[in-house]
Amino acid sequence: MSNAYTTVIGLEVHVQLATHSKLFCRCSTQFGAEPNTQTCPVCIGMPGTLPVMNRQAYQLALRTAVALNCDIPEFTKWDRKQYYYPDLPKGYQISQYDLPMSDDGFLEIADAKDRFEPKRVRIIRAHLEEDAGKSIHDEAAGKADSEIDLNRTGTPLLEIVSQPDMRSAAEARAYLEEMKLLLTYIGVSDCNMQEGSLRCDANVNLHLDHEGESIATPIVEIKNLNSFRAVERAIEYEAARQYKEWQENSEPPKARQKYLARPKQTRGWDDAAGVTRAQREKEESSDYRYFPDPDLAPVITKGDEVQAVREALPELPAALRERLGEDYGLGTYDADVLVNQGRALVDYYLAVADGSGDPKAACNWVTQDVLRVLKDQESTIDQFGVSAENLAGLVKAIDDGQLPSSRAREAFEVMLADGSAVDAAITKLGIEQVDESALEDLCRELLAANPKIVADVQDGKQQAVGALIGQAKKKNPNADPALVRQICLKLIGEGV
Amino acid sequence: MSLADLTASELLDTLGRGEASAVEAAREYLALIEQRDGDIGSYLRVDAEGALAQAAEVDRKREAGEELGPLAGLPVAVKDVLCDSAGATTCASRMLEQFHPPYDATVVAKLKAADAVLLGRLNMDEFAMGGSTENSAFQVTRNPWDRGRTPGGSSGGSAACVAAGLAPLAVGTDTGGSIRQPAGLCGVVGLKPTYGRVSRYGLVAFASSLDQVGPMARTVRDAALLLEAIAGHDPHDATSLEEPVPQYAATLDKPLEGLRLGVVKEHYGAGLDGEVESAVRAAIAQYESLGAEVREISLPHSKYAVATYYVIAPSEASSNLARYDGVHYGYRTDQTKMVAELAAERKALSDAGDEAGLAQLDTALVRMYRKTRAEGFGPEVKRRIMLGTYALSAGYYDAYYLKALKVRRLIRQDFDAAFEQVDLIASPVTAAPAFKLGEMVDDPLAMYLVDLYTVSANLAGIPGISVPCGFNTAGLPIGLQLLAPPLKEARLLRGAHMYQQATDWHQRRPAFSATPSE
Amino acid sequence: MSLTRQDVEKVALLARLQLTDDELATMTDQLAQIVDYVDQLAEVDTDGVEPMAHAVEVANVFAADEVRPSLPREAALANGPRTNGRGYLVPAVLGD
Ligand SMILES: [Mg+2]
Ligand SMILES: [Zn+2]
């Protein structure tokens, strides 16, 4: 069935920009306050009040648009999008219509697990607008009223609309994850989905062949997608549902024509039931009567300002992955793991790699040991007990032979526990270099005491030597197991 | 001579010299209001207590030698469209009858900071929509010169109040002529500043790209005094201009040397009342005798101004008034009754098996909106909301709204070209003197055409002033309008003052019986 | 083009106004008359003319991103026609 159609997906992402105050008034945007405690006459839309645009919101929007490779037109303006809803106190949302602040960008996505080919998802536009408030319907109380909270009203949002360039739920998810990563790298949003800082609607339809004719099924907009997982599930569900619907309506030709001419539909995702459901809409509800907001001045952004924003951008995830591959010799998978953890972890890694001069080993330590501990401790890298400098010291000590790799993990645990440098850990653990002749003496002693093992090895059972390694460690904890094994085999071979 | 006979400037001097107190002035005006306003209906609410308290505070400050604001002790009345945290702001609408703004409009804050004494709130057309003040949800305002006639509108309360001597100064607003037209019909001075000269913050919006707040007074000097106090940049209004405010009053007496006065040839066609035309032509002749050079100019797109205005203004209004939905403030329909009605309708449709009807039936929320707005707004407001909604709706936007924005630019370009040749433009304010109350209520288009001479200035964003220039044989005032390029209020005021120095139209007063009407 | 009663009904819903049959009839006549008058704009040649949405041409007006105190909740809700002390109440908003 997967060959029977192609799923075509476009995503509309709303990102809350990380300002202190709202887009058009100076109320706080802090999440989680008591209902209606972060409002003022402006964001309540009281008569006579006027919006004044938050400079930082515009700057964050501009930075994002530039990072998404968008063009920034010199002239942009704000429009009113008009509809009635109780969480929209002015009766219109201030948004952008025909002259958005940016257009025509792209975001590149790839999959470390190779489920799809790397691709460039084109971005139609990104524009700045204000958020609405919240309606709470208390079904438990069984009352006929909904309660309106306007705290969120007027929070700055960037709406990013992609072309329908994605072809699977996995691609859609990768787009969202890469988007989130990019936005957090450039510091424009915390992208917290639980708090609604990142919201997503998906436009989905199917392309298929019907008796040599290319068919595109009517587009469905899926709303209420509250997690990346929900986006994936909803797209998969919707593709299957649309295919079934197509099959039911593909014949006779009259029914097919009628089906294909259906207008775009809006469906809501029910996460618990795992289904999308049609949402009731009236014909007039899409007549938004946009017109330029007379209360707001347009914004003119010159090319040199855009250039300055571009130059001030931090290194973006894609470039960073490339640098990790080229300059540090990391494979795609490792680079991905590091970069996806966020800039702070990458910086930590880079410090370990540069400090130790061994990027591969640094990568192993960071992606395995460090990440394991962070996961166990449910903490982040800035709270991590081993400084990058100290971890670099540890890697270096191993490479220099100062610390046997067999005891490196022990040293790491000590460093983690007390924040010490590798030298102190070595001292604390009593690790010292055992010289080879001393080790040979120890081995001779062990072989003499274990004739059975010697005989077994001589009979070809080389693994029998393993028992000696344990004994050696008991007698001298600094004995390098590999060396013990090697010396024992050598001595047996020499017929000791 | 009573304090209320003085102009605002004279009263300010009298108070400044300590020859009278602010409380005395306020008392005198409050008594006059009590005596005369029953006939006129200019005030919606008089705040005697607040005014006397403010006046007493000014007197105390003066006594104590504290610094005083530029309007210290001057009574001022404000159109009920500028928010004042001291009480209700209703816009003469049922919708806002109970609305108490928790903030002051910037203009109101400036008046308070200037130590003005705020007497009360003036009647107007509901949401400033209209030209007769008959669209007020609460009361009729009568023209002090003829109580059977309109004072004009929408700042009819402001004009009538000043004409009747019930405040030396009043604040009005002008979206398509709403200061200048009532000033003309009531024989007072009214100035609409350059768009952006006076902050709109806290001015309940009618058409945001056209609205301006301005002074109304008996003399040009008084208008200059008030404008100076309320003008200036406001960071809360993104369309306010960051230009310093000139000293309008101090420069007033400098006559305009070599003034080039423009007369618009398109202004003198059919429809212009003969007596109005003679008065305006006489005023122009007066300017010539004062040394001005009169030049004929053309504003070729001026004939489209009313059509342009009646697309743009209602479009913006339909959006600005969307916020009155009964959710966050203002009037809400009786919800219990509404829910019951809706249930009855649903049952009737259901009993009749009318599936299509059921599908079309409003939800409770939509019905709440629709009933709230149907009951809260008067007919003219509804008409404009409908007109604007239509002009912006899918399929009509380009033909109406966008087209009107383009014609608007042509109108502005006409002015730019004209002001290359002349310093000021003179014209009638209205085609005829005040009409009878009730005369035009059933003919909205005729009512709209009254704005013919005034709307262009709003579309172009330029300043304009109306000054009395005569009376017709029936004793009704006639106004002269002067227009100036953007931000040339000082020139406009000097030009108007020049005329008032040479004439005495502005000194005439309507008659009042000595006893209170009751 | 002349305005029909159906047009007016549709606009009334868009504008969230409830009009009685009488009002609809009057409104249709009056709006048609006004629209006919406004239709004269069509005769103006506006090719290449930039629309003028603002009376003054200012650009780039911003405020600094500094939090100022909000209204106390009682003050914010004080004008609400129906509240529960926490929020504004409206007839049920169902199914979004
Ligand atoms: Mg949006
Ligand atoms: Zn606010």
Side-chain angles (χ1 to χ4, degrees), chain B residues 57-69 115:
Chain B
E57 172 63 7
V58 171
D59 289 337
R60 185 201 62 74
K61 277 186 176 176
R62 200 186 302 275
E63 190 97 342
E66 289 175 26
E67 206 182 313
L68 287 166
D115 287 318

Side-chain angles (χ1 to χ4, degrees), chain A residues 22 24-28 38-44 153, chain C residues 70:
Chain A
K22 294 185 180 181
F24 298 119
C25 65
R26 305 288 73 85
C27 287
S28 170
Q38 285 173 182
T39 69
C40 70
V42 176
C43 59
I44 300 171
T153 306
Chain C
S70 292

Side-chain angles (χ1 to χ4, degrees), chain A residues 41-42 45-50 52 80 82 84-86 89-90 92 145 150 280 282 287 289-292 294-295, chain B residues 99 102-103 200-203 208 235-236 239 319-320 322-324 328-329 360-361 363 369 373 392-394 397 401:
Chain A
V42 176
M46 283 190 178
T49 61
L50 296 170
V52 183
R80 294 181 180 179
Q82 313 193 68
Y84 285 88
Y85 208 73
K90 299 191 296 298
Y92 56 84
D145 284 327
L150 298 183
R280 195 178 114 117
K282 287 212 170 165
D287 193 344
R289 290 159 287 133
Y290 282 100
F291 80 106
D295 292 331
Chain B
F99 178 62
Y103 50 97
R200 293 185 298 113
Y201 187 84
L203 157 62
S208 313
H236 299 296
T239 62
S319 172
N320 286 328
R323 70 190 62 206
Y324 306 110
H328 312 97
Y329 47 79
Q360 282 304 309
L361 190 64
T363 61
Y369 287 145
R373 291 164 62 78
L392 291 175
S393 66
Y397 180 89
Y401 183 74

